[in-house]
């Protein structure tokens, strides 16, 4: 039998359907969603109020509207795209809290949660599962049934069903998991990474009435990516929020100093994107990833090693690297970091085709310590060409000491702030111009030329690249920015050192191809004097 | 579930008009009461618990119990109705057995039998109540505890947050503030948001006039001090285009 509603119960229902009241009362601590204190409420900050979904307050049974029109009202009150800097509650309120609230208020809802890979999905859905398993209210009232494999599936006794969909951005068929899914609400974590292929596939995975999208991510996307198109779409403006990290009241001078140090200044791309939450409007994706992916050898994974001060003395037992027998040349190229890690890449060349063999990352090593690793690798692999990023002091010092030690090898100096010869200067009849008895060259900035060379090699499918998610992410985040006189190609991913190592490689290859370097012969003396 | 005809209401209205207990009610209120009384009597007729007993006292007790159940619960199905009838019968019967037990003066052997009957009757009552959802299992008690805790927290929340409610317009997706008035809520554009971005024009005007410090404004807006300059730059220096909602909503709403 059903009991008759009292005034008090009506008041309860009013509070129950108010997302602010429900969230503040259900969770005593937003950092620990599994606790349900009888007398402790949490607090949602003013700026975070706009991150919640208010669709629950909409009467979606209005007889004056069709079922679809009723759902459209919910869609407009619930759909939200939040892009911005770090740490101001994007994921917490757009996704985590809203998932837990919708579980109570949307009976029979078919919901999905997606992100670029399994790690990002697990990061959020593990929080949800923990809350469902330990929060007294959910455990006693909702009786959740949870499976974690092959994907997350959460079913509650009111018919609410949440499943995870892995975008699998780095796989052969990204977005395929969206097939046969028809969601009424979809949560997108790290939405800035969504590719066009995934976007097109998820377009069909919505219910016939529509879909409430709850999307959160950083602003490291380009104008023509799926996230960029939503961000710059004027009709979506009321549902798009873009905020900097300092909307968080806990942002202080100390945090600012450390961010300035981390991103090397307030005008750096990193600071603008990850702190100020700015979208680099002028940036467009510089690489056609469909063409780049043709270089990927998906049956193999890159061999990646890490060296730090703890395991430095043991590198002989850590670095299992060898020179391929058929290698005509072996390139050892590196982006040298002062405070950031140094990335070493090793590639072999056979018939003008390159194979990316190893990636070695050096963490917190001094120049002397880095020298030990480089020397070991050069000797072990019998590297023919060693190219180092010499833009900063550490790289230059390392270059000089290694050159002295291994003077039979070809060393290539790659200063990204310098210029490089790219062509001979020719007269009208096409003959090379000589100035002061020397050939005259045309020059370009190293950094831009390196990118153009790398792009050419990738588009020509000259490099065989085993699966390397780090590299894929960084290549995907290279954008072209049109300045007044030149186009620059920065990488807007949080880390760009592996990309920089490939730029070093492309310059090394250019030096060889354009014959800018000559092999040094070590001086050998014989008793006969010949 | 129970339909009421105009005739029935009029008849009942005629019966209660002029009665002392209804003198203070207005004609509309009296009509409503008449309707309720018609429904109540229909429910009583439907269940007809007085037929179960011969003594007037027990009939009265059954009716009181029935009224209590009808008032607090809604009977959903015919089977529920029959079970409730059985339940009321057993409950009244229980009182009868208890009375006879209280007045019992016979041998102890029969007394034990009588007590056994009471136990059996009580457990049957409990089964029927569980079937009707009137008494909760342990799980249900847990549910009730969790709900009770939430209810208490809601009450405290309502005490501290009486004046307003925040929501989003389902047509233009703009933030709305509902302010409580004596009759109903009054809707207004949320004063702390421009589009969906935290912003309060008068507050920032006071800051620019030097009447408030950056720290004061930041503490009101619950943000960091750096945000104040950022939002002024972003909104007031027209770094973002004019409010689309302002252009669109008037017609839509």
């Amino acid at each position: 039998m059903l009991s008759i509603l009292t005034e008090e119960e009506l008041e309860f229902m009013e509070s129950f359907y108010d997302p602010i009241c429900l969230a503040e009362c259900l969770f005593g601590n937003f950092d620990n969603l599994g606790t349900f204190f009888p007398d402790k409420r949490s607090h949602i900050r003013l700026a975070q109020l706009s991150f919640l979904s208010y669709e629950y307050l909409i009467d979606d049974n209005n007889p004056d509207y069709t079922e679809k029109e009723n759902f459209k009202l919910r869609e407009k009150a619930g759909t939200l795209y939040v892009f911005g800097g770090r740490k101001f509650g994007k994921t917490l309120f757009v996704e985590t809290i809203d998932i837990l609230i919708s579980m109570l208020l949307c009976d029979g809802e078919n919901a999905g949660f997606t992100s670029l890979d399994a790690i990002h999905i697990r990061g959020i859905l593990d929080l949800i599962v923990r809350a469902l398993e330990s929060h007294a209210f959910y455990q006693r009232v909702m009786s959740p049934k949870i499976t974690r494999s092959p994907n997350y599936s959460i079913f509650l006794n009111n018919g609410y069903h949440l499943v995870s969909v892995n975008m699998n951005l780095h796989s052969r068929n990204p977005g395929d998991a969206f097939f046969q899914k028809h969601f009424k609400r979809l949560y997108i974590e790290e939405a800035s990474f969504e590719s066009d292929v995934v976007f097109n596939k998820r377009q069909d995975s919505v219910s016939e009435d529509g879909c409430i999208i709850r999307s959160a991510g950083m602003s490291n996307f380009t104008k023509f990516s799926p996230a960029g198109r939503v961000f710059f779409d004027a009709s979506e403006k009321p549902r798009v929020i873009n905020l900097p990290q300092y909307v968080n009241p806990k942002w202080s001078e100390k945090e600012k100093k450390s961010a300035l140090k981390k991103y090397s200044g307030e005008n750096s791309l990193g600071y603008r994107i990850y702190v100020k939450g700015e979208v680099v409007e002028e940036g467009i994706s510089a690489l056609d990833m469909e063409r780049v992916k043709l270089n990927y050898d998906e049956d193999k994974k890159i061999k990646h090693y890490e060296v730090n001060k703890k395991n430095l003395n043991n590198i002989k037992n850590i670095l299992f690297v060898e020179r391929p027998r058929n290698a005509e040349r072996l390139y050892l190229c590196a982006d040298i970091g002062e405070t950031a890690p140094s990335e070493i890449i090793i590639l072999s060349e056979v018939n003008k085709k390159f194979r990316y063999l190893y990636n070695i990352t050096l963490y917190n090593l001094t120049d002397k310590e880095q020298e030990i690793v480089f020397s070991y690798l050069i000797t072990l692999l019998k590297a023919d060409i060693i190219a180092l990023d010499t833009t900063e002091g550490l790289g230059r010092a390392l270059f000089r000491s290694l050159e002295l030690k291994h003077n039979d090898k070809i060393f290539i100096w790659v200063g990204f702030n310098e210029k490089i010869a790219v062509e001979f200067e020719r007269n009208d009849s096409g003959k090379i111009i000589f100035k002061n008895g020397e050939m005259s060259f045309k020059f370009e900035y190293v950094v831009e030329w390196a990118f153009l060379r790398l792009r050419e090699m990738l588009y020509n499918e000259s490099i065989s690249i085993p699966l390397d998610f780090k590299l894929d992410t960084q290549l995907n985040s290279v954008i072209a920015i049109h300045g007044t006189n030149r186009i620059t190609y920065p990488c807007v991913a949080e880390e760009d050192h592996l990309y920089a190592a490939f730029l070093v490689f492309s310059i090394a290859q250019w030096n060889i191809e354009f014959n800018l370097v000559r092999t040094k012969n070590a001086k050998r003396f014989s008793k006969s004097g010949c | 579930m129970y339909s009421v005809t105009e005739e029935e209401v009029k008849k009942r209205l005629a019966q209660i008009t002029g009665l002392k207990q209804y003198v203070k009610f207005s004609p509309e209120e009296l009509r409503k009461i008449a309707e309720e009384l018609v429904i109540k009597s229909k429910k009583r007729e439907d269940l007809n618990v007085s037929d179960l007993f011969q003594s007037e006292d027990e009939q009265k007790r059954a009716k009181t119990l029935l009224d209590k159940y009808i008032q607090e619960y809604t009977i959903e199905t015919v089977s529920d109705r029959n079970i409730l009838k059985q339940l009321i019968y057993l409950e009244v019967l229980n009182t009868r057995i208890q009375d006879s037990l209280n007045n019992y003066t016979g041998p102890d052997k029969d007394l034990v039998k009588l007590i056994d009957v009471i136990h059996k009757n009580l457990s049957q009552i409990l089964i029927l109540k569980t079937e009707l959802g009137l008494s909760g299992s342990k799980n249900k008690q847990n549910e009730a505890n969790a709900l009770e805790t939430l209810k208490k927290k809601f009450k405290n929340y309502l005490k501290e947050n009486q004046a307003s409610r925040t929501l989003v317009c389902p047509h233009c997706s703009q933030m709305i503030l509902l302010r409580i008035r004596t009759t109903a809520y009054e809707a207004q554009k949320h004063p702390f948001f421009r589009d969906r971005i935290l912003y309060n024009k008068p507050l920032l005007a006071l800051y620019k006039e030097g009447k408030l410090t950056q720290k004061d404004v930041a503490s009101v807006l619950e943000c960091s001090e750096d945000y104040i300059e950022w939002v002024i730059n972003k909104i007031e220096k027209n770094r973002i285009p004019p409010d689309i909602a302002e252009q669109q909503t008037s017609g839509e709403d």
Side-chain angles (χ1 to χ4, degrees), chain B residues 4 24 28 53 99 111 132 139 145 157 165-166 179-180 186 198 233 235 237-238:
Chain B
V4 182
K24 57 182 177 182
E28 288 84 30
F53 306 99
D99 284 347
L111 184 68
L132 288 171
N139 232 356
N145 286 346
Y157 177 89
R165 293 284 175 273
T166 298
R179 287 190 304 175
I180 289 178
E186 185 186 283
L198 181 66
N233 249 331
I235 291 179
K237 292 187 182 168
N238 273 330

PDB file of all heavy atoms in Angstrom, chain B residues 4 24 28 53 99 111 132 139 145 157 165-166 179-180 186 198 233 235 237-238:
ATOM      1  N   VAL B   4     -16.819  10.041  -7.652  1.00  0.00           N
ATOM      2  CA  VAL B   4     -17.869  10.669  -6.840  1.00  0.00           C
ATOM      3  C   VAL B   4     -18.817  11.403  -7.774  1.00  0.00           C
ATOM      4  O   VAL B   4     -18.383  12.204  -8.598  1.00  0.00           O
ATOM      5  CB  VAL B   4     -17.232  11.672  -5.848  1.00  0.00           C
ATOM      6  CG1 VAL B   4     -18.297  12.291  -4.962  1.00  0.00           C
ATOM      7  CG2 VAL B   4     -16.172  10.990  -5.030  1.00  0.00           C
ATOM      8  N   LYS B  24     -17.904  26.808  10.819  1.00  0.00           N
ATOM      9  CA  LYS B  24     -16.884  27.806  10.474  1.00  0.00           C
ATOM     10  C   LYS B  24     -16.311  27.656   9.053  1.00  0.00           C
ATOM     11  O   LYS B  24     -15.534  28.501   8.603  1.00  0.00           O
ATOM     12  CB  LYS B  24     -15.748  27.753  11.500  1.00  0.00           C
ATOM     13  CG  LYS B  24     -15.105  26.392  11.638  1.00  0.00           C
ATOM     14  CD  LYS B  24     -14.034  26.431  12.693  1.00  0.00           C
ATOM     15  CE  LYS B  24     -13.468  25.010  12.855  1.00  0.00           C
ATOM     16  NZ  LYS B  24     -12.478  24.937  13.871  1.00  0.00           N
ATOM     17  N   GLU B  28     -17.043  26.438  -0.191  1.00  0.00           N
ATOM     18  CA  GLU B  28     -16.081  25.644  -1.015  1.00  0.00           C
ATOM     19  C   GLU B  28     -15.433  24.557  -0.153  1.00  0.00           C
ATOM     20  O   GLU B  28     -15.292  23.403  -0.575  1.00  0.00           O
ATOM     21  CB  GLU B  28     -14.968  26.535  -1.581  1.00  0.00           C
ATOM     22  CG  GLU B  28     -15.394  27.469  -2.684  1.00  0.00           C
ATOM     23  CD  GLU B  28     -16.004  28.742  -2.135  1.00  0.00           C
ATOM     24  OE1 GLU B  28     -15.602  29.161  -1.026  1.00  0.00           O
ATOM     25  OE2 GLU B  28     -16.905  29.291  -2.800  1.00  0.00           O
ATOM     26  N   PHE B  53     -18.068  -8.686  12.514  1.00  0.00           N
ATOM     27  CA  PHE B  53     -18.289  -8.816  13.960  1.00  0.00           C
ATOM     28  C   PHE B  53     -19.755  -8.620  14.319  1.00  0.00           C
ATOM     29  O   PHE B  53     -20.481  -7.920  13.619  1.00  0.00           O
ATOM     30  CB  PHE B  53     -17.423  -7.792  14.709  1.00  0.00           C
ATOM     31  CG  PHE B  53     -15.977  -7.880  14.331  1.00  0.00           C
ATOM     32  CD1 PHE B  53     -15.424  -7.009  13.398  1.00  0.00           C
ATOM     33  CD2 PHE B  53     -15.155  -8.853  14.888  1.00  0.00           C
ATOM     34  CE1 PHE B  53     -14.102  -7.099  13.036  1.00  0.00           C
ATOM     35  CE2 PHE B  53     -13.830  -8.946  14.518  1.00  0.00           C
ATOM     36  CZ  PHE B  53     -13.301  -8.072  13.595  1.00  0.00           C
ATOM     37  N   ASP B  99      -8.650  -9.749  26.026  1.00  0.00           N
ATOM     38  CA  ASP B  99      -9.663  -9.466  27.060  1.00  0.00           C
ATOM     39  C   ASP B  99     -10.007 -10.738  27.847  1.00  0.00           C
ATOM     40  O   ASP B  99     -10.048 -10.732  29.084  1.00  0.00           O
ATOM     41  CB  ASP B  99     -10.949  -8.905  26.408  1.00  0.00           C
ATOM     42  CG  ASP B  99     -10.770  -7.459  25.990  1.00  0.00           C
ATOM     43  OD1 ASP B  99      -9.754  -6.857  26.437  1.00  0.00           O
ATOM     44  OD2 ASP B  99     -11.587  -6.942  25.204  1.00  0.00           O
ATOM     45  N   LEU B 111      -4.528 -21.899  30.181  1.00  0.00           N
ATOM     46  CA  LEU B 111      -3.939 -20.557  30.060  1.00  0.00           C
ATOM     47  C   LEU B 111      -2.789 -20.569  29.036  1.00  0.00           C
ATOM     48  O   LEU B 111      -2.680 -19.679  28.182  1.00  0.00           O
ATOM     49  CB  LEU B 111      -3.410 -20.093  31.427  1.00  0.00           C
ATOM     50  CG  LEU B 111      -2.863 -18.673  31.474  1.00  0.00           C
ATOM     51  CD1 LEU B 111      -3.970 -17.652  31.275  1.00  0.00           C
ATOM     52  CD2 LEU B 111      -2.154 -18.407  32.791  1.00  0.00           C
ATOM     53  N   LEU B 132       1.494  -6.338   3.191  1.00  0.00           N
ATOM     54  CA  LEU B 132       0.938  -5.044   2.774  1.00  0.00           C
ATOM     55  C   LEU B 132       1.973  -3.918   2.803  1.00  0.00           C
ATOM     56  O   LEU B 132       1.692  -2.798   2.383  1.00  0.00           O
ATOM     57  CB  LEU B 132      -0.229  -4.655   3.695  1.00  0.00           C
ATOM     58  CG  LEU B 132      -1.515  -5.459   3.533  1.00  0.00           C
ATOM     59  CD1 LEU B 132      -2.494  -5.122   4.644  1.00  0.00           C
ATOM     60  CD2 LEU B 132      -2.155  -5.174   2.189  1.00  0.00           C
ATOM     61  N   ASN B 139      16.051  -4.751   6.325  1.00  0.00           N
ATOM     62  CA  ASN B 139      16.552  -3.953   5.215  1.00  0.00           C
ATOM     63  C   ASN B 139      15.790  -2.649   5.082  1.00  0.00           C
ATOM     64  O   ASN B 139      16.346  -1.581   4.876  1.00  0.00           O
ATOM     65  CB  ASN B 139      16.375  -4.754   3.929  1.00  0.00           C
ATOM     66  CG  ASN B 139      17.672  -4.816   3.173  1.00  0.00           C
ATOM     67  OD1 ASN B 139      18.653  -4.193   3.585  1.00  0.00           O
ATOM     68  ND2 ASN B 139      17.690  -5.564   2.095  1.00  0.00           N
ATOM     69  N   ASN B 145      16.215   4.316   8.040  1.00  0.00           N
ATOM     70  CA  ASN B 145      17.220   5.087   8.783  1.00  0.00           C
ATOM     71  C   ASN B 145      17.958   6.048   7.876  1.00  0.00           C
ATOM     72  O   ASN B 145      18.151   7.215   8.216  1.00  0.00           O
ATOM     73  CB  ASN B 145      18.245   4.139   9.415  1.00  0.00           C
ATOM     74  CG  ASN B 145      17.657   3.425  10.593  1.00  0.00           C
ATOM     75  OD1 ASN B 145      16.597   3.821  11.086  1.00  0.00           O
ATOM     76  ND2 ASN B 145      18.293   2.358  11.018  1.00  0.00           N
ATOM     77  N   TYR B 157      19.032  22.043   6.072  1.00  0.00           N
ATOM     78  CA  TYR B 157      19.401  22.801   4.874  1.00  0.00           C
ATOM     79  C   TYR B 157      18.331  23.857   4.587  1.00  0.00           C
ATOM     80  O   TYR B 157      18.631  25.012   4.321  1.00  0.00           O
ATOM     81  CB  TYR B 157      19.551  21.854   3.682  1.00  0.00           C
ATOM     82  CG  TYR B 157      19.862  22.555   2.385  1.00  0.00           C
ATOM     83  CD1 TYR B 157      21.185  22.797   2.002  1.00  0.00           C
ATOM     84  CD2 TYR B 157      18.842  23.004   1.538  1.00  0.00           C
ATOM     85  CE1 TYR B 157      21.475  23.456   0.817  1.00  0.00           C
ATOM     86  CE2 TYR B 157      19.125  23.667   0.358  1.00  0.00           C
ATOM     87  CZ  TYR B 157      20.449  23.876   0.000  1.00  0.00           C
ATOM     88  OH  TYR B 157      20.726  24.543  -1.175  1.00  0.00           O
ATOM     89  N   ARG B 165      16.237  29.768  -4.449  1.00  0.00           N
ATOM     90  CA  ARG B 165      16.631  28.513  -5.094  1.00  0.00           C
ATOM     91  C   ARG B 165      17.308  28.861  -6.420  1.00  0.00           C
ATOM     92  O   ARG B 165      16.892  29.802  -7.095  1.00  0.00           O
ATOM     93  CB  ARG B 165      15.409  27.641  -5.401  1.00  0.00           C
ATOM     94  CG  ARG B 165      14.701  27.115  -4.179  1.00  0.00           C
ATOM     95  CD  ARG B 165      15.474  25.968  -3.538  1.00  0.00           C
ATOM     96  NE  ARG B 165      14.836  25.573  -2.305  1.00  0.00           N
ATOM     97  CZ  ARG B 165      15.085  26.133  -1.130  1.00  0.00           C
ATOM     98  NH1 ARG B 165      15.964  27.113  -1.023  1.00  0.00           N
ATOM     99  NH2 ARG B 165      14.469  25.723  -0.045  1.00  0.00           N
ATOM    100  N   THR B 166      18.314  28.067  -6.786  1.00  0.00           N
ATOM    101  CA  THR B 166      19.018  28.305  -8.048  1.00  0.00           C
ATOM    102  C   THR B 166      18.651  27.219  -9.040  1.00  0.00           C
ATOM    103  O   THR B 166      18.517  26.060  -8.657  1.00  0.00           O
ATOM    104  CB  THR B 166      20.540  28.275  -7.795  1.00  0.00           C
ATOM    105  OG1 THR B 166      20.854  29.332  -6.904  1.00  0.00           O
ATOM    106  CG2 THR B 166      21.333  28.443  -9.078  1.00  0.00           C
ATOM    107  N   ARG B 179      13.308  33.646  -6.011  1.00  0.00           N
ATOM    108  CA  ARG B 179      13.246  34.246  -4.676  1.00  0.00           C
ATOM    109  C   ARG B 179      11.876  33.965  -4.074  1.00  0.00           C
ATOM    110  O   ARG B 179      10.857  34.133  -4.742  1.00  0.00           O
ATOM    111  CB  ARG B 179      13.492  35.750  -4.760  1.00  0.00           C
ATOM    112  CG  ARG B 179      14.956  36.045  -5.052  1.00  0.00           C
ATOM    113  CD  ARG B 179      15.255  37.493  -4.892  1.00  0.00           C
ATOM    114  NE  ARG B 179      14.380  38.314  -5.725  1.00  0.00           N
ATOM    115  CZ  ARG B 179      14.375  39.625  -5.692  1.00  0.00           C
ATOM    116  NH1 ARG B 179      15.156  40.272  -4.848  1.00  0.00           N
ATOM    117  NH2 ARG B 179      13.583  40.322  -6.473  1.00  0.00           N
ATOM    118  N   ILE B 180      11.882  33.570  -2.831  1.00  0.00           N
ATOM    119  CA  ILE B 180      10.607  33.210  -2.203  1.00  0.00           C
ATOM    120  C   ILE B 180       9.801  34.463  -1.868  1.00  0.00           C
ATOM    121  O   ILE B 180      10.314  35.410  -1.275  1.00  0.00           O
ATOM    122  CB  ILE B 180      10.852  32.356  -0.948  1.00  0.00           C
ATOM    123  CG1 ILE B 180      11.326  30.978  -1.379  1.00  0.00           C
ATOM    124  CG2 ILE B 180       9.585  32.258  -0.099  1.00  0.00           C
ATOM    125  CD1 ILE B 180      11.645  30.053  -0.259  1.00  0.00           C
ATOM    126  N   GLU B 186       9.534  33.973  -7.071  1.00  0.00           N
ATOM    127  CA  GLU B 186       9.658  34.971  -8.123  1.00  0.00           C
ATOM    128  C   GLU B 186      10.981  34.712  -8.841  1.00  0.00           C
ATOM    129  O   GLU B 186      12.034  34.649  -8.203  1.00  0.00           O
ATOM    130  CB  GLU B 186       9.661  36.370  -7.482  1.00  0.00           C
ATOM    131  CG  GLU B 186       9.675  37.480  -8.485  1.00  0.00           C
ATOM    132  CD  GLU B 186       9.838  38.823  -7.787  1.00  0.00           C
ATOM    133  OE1 GLU B 186       8.850  39.312  -7.215  1.00  0.00           O
ATOM    134  OE2 GLU B 186      10.962  39.350  -7.804  1.00  0.00           O
ATOM    135  N   LEU B 198      30.768  33.017 -13.169  1.00  0.00           N
ATOM    136  CA  LEU B 198      30.616  33.740 -11.902  1.00  0.00           C
ATOM    137  C   LEU B 198      30.935  35.226 -12.080  1.00  0.00           C
ATOM    138  O   LEU B 198      32.039  35.589 -12.503  1.00  0.00           O
ATOM    139  CB  LEU B 198      31.591  33.121 -10.891  1.00  0.00           C
ATOM    140  CG  LEU B 198      31.582  33.696  -9.488  1.00  0.00           C
ATOM    141  CD1 LEU B 198      30.264  33.420  -8.792  1.00  0.00           C
ATOM    142  CD2 LEU B 198      32.730  33.105  -8.682  1.00  0.00           C
ATOM    143  N   ASN B 233      38.342  41.685 -17.064  1.00  0.00           N
ATOM    144  CA  ASN B 233      38.936  41.676 -18.401  1.00  0.00           C
ATOM    145  C   ASN B 233      38.068  40.934 -19.389  1.00  0.00           C
ATOM    146  O   ASN B 233      37.833  41.391 -20.493  1.00  0.00           O
ATOM    147  CB  ASN B 233      40.279  40.938 -18.333  1.00  0.00           C
ATOM    148  CG  ASN B 233      41.414  41.887 -18.550  1.00  0.00           C
ATOM    149  OD1 ASN B 233      41.260  42.878 -19.242  1.00  0.00           O
ATOM    150  ND2 ASN B 233      42.529  41.596 -17.943  1.00  0.00           N
ATOM    151  N   ILE B 235      34.793  39.962 -19.229  1.00  0.00           N
ATOM    152  CA  ILE B 235      33.412  40.371 -19.485  1.00  0.00           C
ATOM    153  C   ILE B 235      33.288  41.864 -19.763  1.00  0.00           C
ATOM    154  O   ILE B 235      32.707  42.278 -20.748  1.00  0.00           O
ATOM    155  CB  ILE B 235      32.500  39.932 -18.328  1.00  0.00           C
ATOM    156  CG1 ILE B 235      32.401  38.411 -18.360  1.00  0.00           C
ATOM    157  CG2 ILE B 235      31.119  40.564 -18.439  1.00  0.00           C
ATOM    158  CD1 ILE B 235      31.569  37.792 -17.308  1.00  0.00           C
ATOM    159  N   LYS B 237      35.496  44.178 -20.523  1.00  0.00           N
ATOM    160  CA  LYS B 237      36.199  44.772 -21.670  1.00  0.00           C
ATOM    161  C   LYS B 237      35.782  44.100 -22.973  1.00  0.00           C
ATOM    162  O   LYS B 237      36.529  44.097 -23.945  1.00  0.00           O
ATOM    163  CB  LYS B 237      37.702  44.683 -21.434  1.00  0.00           C
ATOM    164  CG  LYS B 237      38.142  45.584 -20.290  1.00  0.00           C
ATOM    165  CD  LYS B 237      39.627  45.647 -20.132  1.00  0.00           C
ATOM    166  CE  LYS B 237      39.955  46.523 -18.934  1.00  0.00           C
ATOM    167  NZ  LYS B 237      41.361  46.415 -18.544  1.00  0.00           N
ATOM    168  N   ASN B 238      34.574  43.508 -22.921  1.00  0.00           N
ATOM    169  CA  ASN B 238      33.988  42.901 -24.115  1.00  0.00           C
ATOM    170  C   ASN B 238      34.876  41.865 -24.776  1.00  0.00           C
ATOM    171  O   ASN B 238      34.924  41.753 -25.988  1.00  0.00           O
ATOM    172  CB  ASN B 238      33.629  43.973 -25.144  1.00  0.00           C
ATOM    173  CG  ASN B 238      32.261  44.508 -24.867  1.00  0.00           C
ATOM    174  OD1 ASN B 238      31.419  43.782 -24.339  1.00  0.00           O
ATOM    175  ND2 ASN B 238      32.034  45.761 -25.170  1.00  0.00           N
TER     176      ASN B 238
END
